[in-house]
Amino acid sequence: MKNYDYLIVGAGLFGAVFANKAMAAGKRCLIIDKRKHLGGNIFCEEIDGIRVHKYGAHIFHTSNKEVWEYVNRFVEFNRYTNSPLANYKGVLYNLPFNMNTFNKLWGVNTPAEARTKLEEQRGEYASIETPQNMEEQALKLCGRDIYDIFIKGYTEKQWGRPATELPAFIIKRIPFRFTYDNNYFNDEFQGIPKGGYNLLIEKLIKGADIRLNTDYFQSRYELDALADKVLYTGCIDELFDFELGYLEYRSLRFEHERMSIPDFQGNAVVNYTERSVPYTRIIEHKHFEFTSQPHTIITHEYPLNFAIGCEPYYPINDASNMLLLQKYKELANKKTNFLFGGRLAQYAYFDMDDTVAAALELARINFDK
Ligand code: FAD
């Protein structure tokens, strides 16, 4: 008999939820991660009493009641409501686009006035039938003012290319809200775990054996020999030694800064939408948890071209990458004692609630018999 039923490669949210359900079904789990900490990208580092979201700001939000009830079995959530701001040339606007934004932008007070103004702006681009690029698509959907102030510079920074060279499909729709409501998400539930995301992960994996600083590819054959099955949540192309080619990503760079003032920007998230400002956002972490230290920690978030050694953050789901993914999936299907899950193995962007839902579903398939 092998030491473990499951070797779980990756101690992120997907691996942790699956491990939790596996252990509840009586399975023995070994979880490994190449990083020195648990939690994958939702990990927070505590610096001077402030939990810093090391891999980008994470706000839990969902309309999936099963997922919400599941995570609430392990941690309570606070009342944080995401209400980001956009800074354009020093002027602050509310996001998502709502009556507060339209009021500041155009001086309109009522939903009817805002709708009329928006239609007028869009009307100028009504002749664009089939948008040929992202710029045409956005102008058709929102008109010149919103495009120039909020979309053009921000999107060009994110993708590292002029809007006229980006495909139209990047923007499918632009949501407008004709109420004075700055809550970014439409979901029924949202918040930040009281005690932080690390606590959620620790509670999920309680009872499993853990090996950190352990890269699967450094000793895959020894590790495989320890367990009957492997749940793999790392990069799918890496599992096959990139033999068919590399899947492409966009990456990010974070600069964390401690400041000896109690409050830098009065809000957790401020987007910088001008092209000439090199970063896309400043995050002020203490506002996620309403703490009141005399100091604060902010993070500048910079978009980055992906290269070997960078963190793979956002998959580039264009036709050529999706074709390559399909080929890797065919190879993966042949690995009978392997299960796959999570954002890297699926090469997809998943919010945390989708990640939890997918891990619960994989557990249901394997353990509810
Ligand atoms: P990961 O968290 O990436 O975990 C995978 C783990 O596998 C990592 O720890 C990695 O080190 C490990 N691993 C990989 N290869 C190996 C190997 N060879 N050997 C050992 N270990 C390995 N979602 C929201 O709901 N709200 C948000 O506000 C939000 N903000 C986000 C912001 C950013 C910048 C990004 C990129 C994502 C955001 N998300 C957000 C999505 C969220 O991060 C994911 O849903 C979640 O982290 C996915 O968990 P995972 O376990 O699939 O992947």
Side-chain angles (χ1 to χ4, degrees):
M1 186 163 103
K2 294 192 177 178
N3 299 18
Y4 299 98
D5 298 298
Y6 284 92
L7 167 69
I8 297 177
V9 180
L13 187 59
F14 193 99
V17 170
F18 184 86
N20 175 262
K21 297 303 278 185
M23 288 185 290
K27 307 294 180 194
R28 297 155 303 151
C29 298
L30 170 63
I31 306 177
I32 65 161
D33 204 295
K34 64 182 175 186
R35 293 179 182 169
K36 62 180 180 192
H37 58 74
L38 298 167
N41 280 2
I42 69 173
F43 167 75
C44 293
E45 183 179 349
E46 195 166 323
I47 304 174
D48 274 355
I50 297 173
R51 275 186 275 270
V52 175
H53 296 217
K54 287 289 279 196
Y55 301 93
H58 278 76
I59 300 123
F60 200 99
H61 59 97
T62 190
S63 294
N64 183 328
K65 203 151 183 265
E66 185 199 0
V67 166
W68 184 244
E69 285 174 356
Y70 176 75
V71 291
N72 274 273
R73 279 171 40 201
F74 304 94
V75 281
E76 256 184 87
F77 282 75
N78 71 13
R79 61 165 184 84
Y80 178 78
T81 301
N82 198 31
S83 310
L85 294 162
N87 182 321
Y88 180 76
K89 298 192 174 170
V91 181
L92 290 168
Y93 298 89
N94 289 107
L95 297 174
F97 304 132
N98 71 78
M99 285 304 300
N100 287 305
T101 332
F102 305 138
N103 175 265
K104 188 118 178 205
L105 195 58
W106 297 319
V108 294
N109 291 338
T110 67
E113 286 167 357
R115 284 179 200 277
T116 304
K117 185 73 188 171
L118 189 61
E119 282 318 311
E120 195 183 296
Q121 292 261 318
R122 283 171 169 158
E124 289 181 32
Y125 300 94
S127 60
I128 301 175
E129 272 182 21
T130 312
Q132 295 304 306
N133 53 53
M134 193 284 274
E135 176 161 297
E136 289 187 3
Q137 169 80 331
L139 286 169
K140 190 175 164 65
L141 291 171
C142 68
R144 177 60 68 183
D145 290 352
I146 290 177
Y147 174 68
D148 280 352
I149 293 177
F150 301 107
I151 296 177
K152 181 178 162 59
Y154 194 80
T155 316
E156 289 186 341
K157 281 193 277 193
Q158 274 188 318
W159 291 94
R161 278 160 64 188
T164 47
E165 289 176 20
L166 288 166
F169 74 77
I170 285 184
I171 295 186
K172 292 197 173 62
R173 50 185 285 274
I174 299 174
F176 298 107
R177 198 180 277 165
F178 294 95
T179 53
Y180 286 89
D181 178 4
N182 296 327
N183 179 353
Y184 193 75
F185 298 116
N186 290 319
D187 283 319
E188 204 176 339
F189 313 106
Q190 70 177 300
I192 303 287
K194 289 185 180 173
Y197 289 102
N198 299 3
L199 183 64
L200 170 64
I201 296 288
E202 281 160 24
K203 290 200 170 178
L204 284 168
I205 63 169
K206 192 161 177 269
D209 285 348
I210 313 290
R211 290 190 199 173
L212 297 176
N213 298 305
T214 304
D215 189 330
Y216 177 65
F217 298 107
Q218 298 293 314
S219 44
R220 65 195 286 180
Y221 300 107
E222 291 91 319
L223 288 164
D224 285 349
L226 295 176
D228 291 330
K229 285 193 173 181
V230 179
L231 167 67
Y232 180 78
T233 74
C235 293
I236 183 98
D237 50 359
E238 193 175 9
L239 185 66
F240 299 101
D241 299 321
F242 308 102
E243 67 179 63
L244 304 174
Y246 289 83
L247 289 164
E248 294 174 304
Y249 285 88
R250 290 287 299 158
S251 195
L252 295 170
R253 182 169 65 83
F254 299 106
E255 272 179 17
H256 308 291
E257 186 185 346
R258 184 193 186 283
M259 303 173 96
S260 297
I261 52 170
D263 199 343
F264 173 70
Q265 62 185 16
N267 203 41
V269 183
V270 179
N271 291 0
Y272 283 76
T273 56
E274 276 168 88
R275 182 72 187 89
S276 57
V277 176
Y279 42 86
T280 46
R281 311 199 277 180
I282 297 182
I283 305 300
E284 187 168 15
H285 302 270
K286 68 193 305 182
H287 296 304
F288 288 124
E289 302 194 47
F290 314 107
T291 59
S292 56
Q293 295 85 353
H295 54 272
T296 191
I297 297 178
I298 62 166
T299 299
H300 290 79
E301 184 174 313
Y302 296 84
L304 190 67
N305 289 330
F306 181 68
I308 302 298
C310 295
E311 282 296 333
Y313 279 109
Y314 296 110
I316 299 179
N317 301 112
D318 62 11
S320 64
N321 282 298
M322 295 317 278
L323 189 66
L324 187 54
L325 173 65
Q326 196 46 45
K327 291 182 181 159
Y328 276 121
K329 282 194 167 169
E330 282 160 22
L331 291 182
N333 286 339
K334 293 182 188 148
K335 291 183 80 75
T336 47
N337 61 337
F338 269 61
L339 302 175
F340 296 89
R343 65 182 194 99
L344 297 169
Q346 302 289 345
Y347 187 66
Y349 178 87
F350 294 125
D351 272 332
M352 288 181 277
D353 62 334
D354 295 329
T355 300
V356 173
L360 291 176
E361 181 56 22
L362 188 66
R364 238 189 310 268
I365 293 166
N366 282 276
F367 308 128
D368 289 0
K369 284 177 183 147

